[in-house]
Amino acid sequence: MSRIDINKTYKLFIGGAFPRSESGRVYEVKGSNKKFLANPALASRKDLRDAVVAAKSSQAGWAGATAFNRGQILYRIAEIMQGRSEQFTEEISALEGVTSKAAKLQVEEAIDTWVWYSGWCDKLSSVAGSQNQVSGPFYNFTTPESLGVVAIFAESKPSLLGAVRTLAPVLAGGNSAVLIASEAYPLPAITLGEVLATSDLPAGVVNILTGKTSELYPWVGSHMEIDGVDVAGLSKKQEEELKLVGADNLKRIARFSTINHPERILSFMEQKTIWHPIGI
């Protein structure tokens, strides 16, 4: 008997749930062979606002968790991805037109990236913090703390690894995130949202939007509750325009030349200095 294929309509990932875009819009994603694959949601400005609200409300709890606990959760994400590696491999191969072997290597590297950053969570204070020498009867300490809400424009290729290596360091530093998936290759990022929903990650810490980058990046720049932006997936022109509209709230905007490095964590953290009188 013949049967009809079930063409999936992917939703957004906001606040731990999977809503449709408030606009009701979707767009077609085709594979490297030009064959239709899926209809992801086309996120609107309102969807972005909802994602930022969710990220803002969950950020304090995530930052307040122990560094060891955050590391455990990032490791748990790697464990779940390992169990769904076949699905990720198929999606990457269909989208990017690479061999199954190359797609599998990308999945494995993405999993290893989660593990690598999970190990950094409880080491940041030792590496980036210090006890400072001061003139007076005081203890003076400097310690890194999270920046807040970080928006991420994921790289187009490699589609899964590009999303993971921008998202993992943001989470390791105690920030919450709004990840704007690659417009042309969004499926691995959406599947990553399904992984996050079944991990121990608190709802709202990561929110994933799909749609047109050109529609979303100006609103990311002007949104006053977004504290930092990773512009890996933006063109140089878009980056400059975002910097102009983001100047009002002094957004921290970064583009990294390194792949996996503690710099990617610390760039979205602030240094807090504490003075305490000796003997009290």
Side-chain angles (χ1 to χ4, degrees), residues 1 44 46 84-85 104 179 212 227 244 247 259 276 278:
M1 293 178 63
S44 67
K46 173 64 163 56
R84 298 185 65 165
S85 58
K104 184 179 180 181
L179 174 68
K212 293 186 178 298
D227 304 295
L244 287 175
I259 297 177
H276 192 282
I278 294 175

Side-chain angles (χ1 to χ4, degrees), residues 13 15-16 58 62 69-70 72-74 76-77 80 114 167 171-172 175-177 192-193 195-208:
F13 182 54
S58 64
W62 178 243
N69 181 233
R70 287 200 301 271
Q72 286 181 311
I73 292 173
L74 265 59
R76 176 61 178 157
I77 294 170
I80 300 175
W114 282 114
L167 178 60
L171 299 186
N175 300 291
S176 57
L192 177 61
V195 167
L196 300 175
T198 54
S199 70
D200 298 322
L201 190 73
V205 173
V206 175
N207 306 273
I208 300 176

Side-chain angles (χ1 to χ4, degrees), residues 14-16 49-64 148-149 174-178 202-207 223 225 227:
I14 300 175
R49 291 203 305 266
D50 291 343
V52 175
V53 168
K56 186 74 174 180
S57 63
S58 64
Q59 194 273 325
W62 178 243
V149 177
N175 300 291
S176 57
V178 177
V205 173
V206 175
N207 306 273
H223 201 299
E225 296 296 334
D227 304 295

